[in-house]
């Protein structure tokens, strides 16, 4: 199926039977699993290469922030088609826990309700919420190993000790500024920064019970779910939080709308 954009009426047209050359977004096919997030990332739909940014943004807004999602047959069918496709790939009956980031859209909640049609009665939901800016930290050890300790072809260090200390000081200054900002400003400022993979504690467990649940569930399947994945930063942080307490689970990541070019190195 595909979705086209009627520029005259400024509306989106859903066709659940056919794909066409003018489609702005289509259901994924054989490339459903992509090399991202440890080779466990699936997504429902992808944008066509020719779609410009304004149309993409308008469609994401149309999907994420529709005030009457439950009574919109096009959008509900749009979501169901992606979940049905996911179920054919991974068998949702085998999953024990669904983890979602807190979201202002209603899509995640609708996807969760629909997933319960396939899942075991013991399936449980856990939510991660945005942490206070003061909680955000930086993985300095990881950054040193990846960048500051780099060596040249002749074996000499790329950076002097003085240069390393200067970088560390600039990172600390950045953190001091971040701790004074609100969360949404931080997310916008850091999204494309080269430091983003080393920023930690953007999210936290919604409740202490959720944290205990993650810690106690072992060797079972977890589905991490979100509505739209662009930079991958939110899903990266969700996975990081899960792995802090539990590294034994088989984790699958699903996004209703995703990108083929999200690569493993985004971790």
């Amino acid at each position: 199926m595909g979705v086209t954009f009627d520029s005259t009426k400024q509306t989106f047209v859903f066709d659940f039977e056919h794909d066409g050359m003018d489609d702005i977004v289509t259901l994924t096919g054989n490339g459903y699993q992509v090399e991202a997030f440890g080779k466990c990332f699936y997504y429902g739909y992808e944008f066509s290469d020719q779609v410009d940014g304004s149309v993409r943004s308008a469609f994401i807004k149309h999907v994420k922030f529709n005030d009457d999602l439950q009574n919109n047959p096009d959008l509900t069918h749009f979501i169901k088609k992606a979940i049905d496709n996911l179920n054919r790939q991974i068998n949702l009956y085998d999953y024990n826990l669904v983890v979602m980031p807190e979201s202002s859209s209603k899509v995640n909640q609708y996807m969760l309700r629909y997933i319960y049609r396939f899942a075991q009665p013991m399936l449980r939901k856990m939510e991660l919420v945005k942490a206070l800016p003061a909680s955000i930290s930086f993985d300095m050890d990881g950054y040193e190993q990846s960048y500051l300790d780099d060596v040249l072809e002749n074996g000499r260090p790329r950076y002097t000790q003085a240069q390393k200390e200067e970088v560390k000081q600039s990172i600390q200054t950045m953190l001091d500024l971040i701790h004074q900002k609100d969360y949404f400003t931080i997310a916008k400022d850091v999204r494309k920064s080269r430091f983003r993979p080393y920023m930690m504690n953007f999210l936290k467990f919604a409740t202490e019970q959720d944290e205990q649940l993650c810690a106690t569930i072992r060797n079972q399947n977890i589905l991490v779910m979100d509505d739209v994945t662009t930079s991958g930063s939110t899903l990266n942080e969700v996975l990081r939080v899960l792995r802090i307490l539990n590294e034994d689970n088989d984790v699958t990541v699903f996004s209703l709308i995703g990108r083929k070019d999200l690569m493993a190195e985004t971790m």
Side-chain angles (χ1 to χ4, degrees):
M1 63 143 291
V3 180
T4 57
F5 178 63
D6 188 329
S7 57
T8 302
K9 297 181 180 180
Q10 294 290 297
T11 58
F12 296 99
V13 181
F14 292 76
D15 186 343
F16 294 102
E17 301 299 329
H18 307 96
D19 289 332
M21 296 293 292
D22 296 328
D23 290 341
I24 64 167
V25 63
T26 57
L27 190 69
T28 53
N30 294 331
Y32 199 70
Q33 183 176 4
V34 295
E35 298 287 325
F37 305 110
K39 301 181 182 179
C40 59
F41 177 50
Y42 295 83
Y43 63 104
Y45 297 91
E46 63 178 321
F47 284 107
S48 302
D49 294 337
Q50 73 273 13
V51 181
D52 64 43
S54 61
V55 174
R56 284 198 305 270
S57 297
F59 184 71
I60 289 173
K61 182 178 180 181
H62 179 70
V63 174
K64 284 173 65 76
F65 303 113
N66 191 289
D67 292 332
D68 197 22
L69 172 63
Q70 188 72 36
N71 296 313
N72 187 314
D74 282 339
L75 286 182
T76 54
H77 197 154
F78 181 79
I79 294 170
K80 290 175 182 178
K81 289 279 285 187
I83 299 298
D84 289 342
N85 199 12
L86 176 67
N87 183 54
R88 285 191 290 271
Q89 299 287 328
I90 66 172
N91 189 6
L92 288 165
Y93 185 82
D94 293 335
Y95 283 74
N96 311 95
L97 179 67
V98 174
V99 179
M100 302 187 306
E102 181 185 48
S103 175
S104 55
S105 83
K106 298 179 180 179
V107 174
N108 280 350
Q109 296 299 330
Y110 188 86
M111 288 197 293
L112 180 67
R113 288 198 298 271
Y114 191 65
I115 283 174
Y116 275 107
R117 293 178 65 247
F118 305 95
Q120 300 181 50
M122 291 301 294
L123 179 71
R124 287 168 283 185
K125 169 204 166 189
M126 187 180 80
E127 193 169 44
L128 290 166
V129 299
K130 298 176 180 68
L132 294 173
S135 301
I136 294 172
S137 60
F138 190 86
D139 182 7
M140 188 64 74
D141 290 340
Y143 189 72
E144 282 191 79
Q145 293 175 13
S146 299
Y147 290 98
L148 297 185
D149 292 340
D150 192 25
V151 297
L152 301 172
E153 292 183 1
N154 60 11
R156 296 181 59 185
R158 182 177 295 275
Y159 304 106
T160 66
Q161 191 60 38
Q163 289 173 323
K164 291 181 182 181
E165 292 302 322
E166 184 178 353
V167 170
K168 291 179 182 180
Q169 183 57 51
S170 67
I171 290 172
Q172 185 57 54
T173 300
M174 176 186 67
L175 278 177
D176 291 341
L177 291 173
I178 284 174
H179 292 163
Q180 300 173 30
K181 291 187 174 185
D182 64 89
Y183 179 88
F184 294 100
T185 303
I186 294 167
K188 182 178 178 181
D189 290 348
V190 176
R191 185 176 300 143
K192 295 184 179 180
S193 169
R194 72 180 188 277
F195 297 130
R196 178 61 188 90
Y198 304 95
M199 305 297 294
M200 300 185 296
N201 302 324
F202 270 65
L203 298 174
K204 66 178 182 178
F205 293 97
T207 66
E208 185 177 344
Q209 289 75 20
D210 280 352
E211 184 172 352
Q212 293 172 352
L213 176 62
C214 177
T216 55
I217 288 183
R218 300 286 179 183
N219 300 314
Q220 295 180 333
N221 296 331
I222 292 179
L223 176 65
V224 176
M225 185 177 69
D226 202 11
D227 44 22
V228 178
T229 299
T230 52
S231 67
S233 58
T234 298
L235 291 180
N236 275 330
E237 186 62 19
V238 170
L239 292 173
R240 196 198 315 255
V241 170
L242 292 179
R243 293 307 191 196
I244 288 173
L245 290 181
N246 190 338
E247 295 188 0
D248 299 331
N249 297 103
D250 183 7
V251 179
T252 296
V253 182
F254 173 76
S255 177
L256 180 65
I257 303 175
R259 285 171 40 194
K260 280 186 177 180
D261 58 343
L262 280 172
M263 302 301 291
E265 57 262 32
T266 60
M267 293 291 287

